[in-house]
Amino acid sequence: MYDVSHNTCKEEEHVVDGVPRRLFVHRKGATRALGPGHPSIPEALRAVGQPVLIGGSMGTASYILVGTAQGMQQSFGSACHGAGRAMSRHAAYRQWQGRQVIDELAGRGILIRSPTSRGVAEEAPGAYKDVAAVVDAAHAAGLAHKVARVEPLICIKG
């Protein structure tokens, strides 16, 4: 289990114009992707960099990446935290019905548990951008390097 938040403001030390500085880094829609050797990374992971979890949708893969030294320089050790929405929740609700999404994903072996079908419709896989393209862009930019691609088995909506 690895806990990641993606809407935070933290005081961190980063190099700006060659000088280490204490900064307040606000990540809205981003997550930390600290590079190898950063003292905030747990000792067991410090040599390789911080794990970066990039979630897809209920019906697409998610990815595990690792922070890079290049990402530290380019983005203060930040990377995207997910695929990002391609349409609003309201638009998704108008386009899909929750039961339809649950049945379609069940046919692919993915179980959905949610207190409402509206929430499922709002989070339909088609409401999100292509997570593979988002991850490929972060990887190509050097913000984080791909480690693993994981497929969903169950999705629990709160």
Side-chain angles (χ1 to χ4, degrees), residues 20 44 57-58 61 68 74 86-87 118 134 145:
S57 70
M58 294 186 294
T68 65
Q74 293 179 310
M87 66 173 57
R118 180 184 181 111
V134 171
H145 287 156

Side-chain angles (χ1 to χ4, degrees), residues 2 31-34 50-54 63-67 79-80 144:
Y2 192 80
T31 191
R32 284 197 341 179
L34 303 175
Q50 182 170 22
V52 179
L53 306 179
I54 300 183
Y63 289 81
I64 302 169
L65 290 81
V66 66
C80 56

Side-chain angles (χ1 to χ4, degrees), residues 56-61 83-87 92 95-98 100-102 104-105 108 110 112 119-131 152 155:
S57 70
M58 294 186 294
T60 62
R85 296 192 72 88
M87 66 173 57
Q95 185 161 342
W96 290 285
Q97 293 185 357
Q100 166 195 6
V101 174
I102 291 168
E104 176 188 318
L105 293 175
R108 294 174 38 207
I110 303 169
I112 304 296
V120 174
E122 290 175 349
E123 299 293 322
Y128 285 85
K129 297 174 190 168
D130 177 0
V131 68
C155 181

Side-chain angles (χ1 to χ4, degrees), residues 7-153:
N7 188 8
T8 62
C9 183
K10 290 191 172 196
E11 187 176 4
E12 299 174 359
E13 186 172 300
H14 293 279
V15 177
V16 178
D17 296 328
V19 179
R21 295 188 54 192
R22 297 293 299 167
L23 306 172
F24 288 99
V25 180
H26 181 218
R27 293 182 178 92
K28 174 76 173 147
T31 191
R32 284 197 341 179
L34 303 175
H38 196 282
S40 294
I41 302 172
E43 180 84 30
L45 303 170
R46 196 169 295 155
V48 295
Q50 182 170 22
V52 179
L53 306 179
I54 300 183
S57 70
M58 294 186 294
T60 62
S62 294
Y63 289 81
I64 302 169
L65 290 81
V66 66
T68 65
Q70 182 178 345
M72 293 297 294
Q73 296 170 5
Q74 293 179 310
S75 67
F76 297 132
S78 302
C80 56
H81 77 87
R85 296 192 72 88
M87 66 173 57
S88 71
R89 293 179 192 284
H90 188 70
Y93 178 69
R94 285 193 318 260
Q95 185 161 342
W96 290 285
Q97 293 185 357
R99 182 83 252 159
Q100 166 195 6
V101 174
I102 291 168
D103 291 345
E104 176 188 318
L105 293 175
R108 294 174 38 207
I110 303 169
L111 301 177
I112 304 296
R113 298 294 181 256
S114 176
T116 68
S117 63
R118 180 184 181 111
V120 174
E122 290 175 349
E123 299 293 322
Y128 285 85
K129 297 174 190 168
D130 177 0
V131 68
V134 171
V135 167
D136 288 345
H139 180 85
L143 300 178
H145 287 156
K146 290 189 271 187
V147 174
R149 179 180 186 273
V150 294
E151 294 286 333
L153 298 174

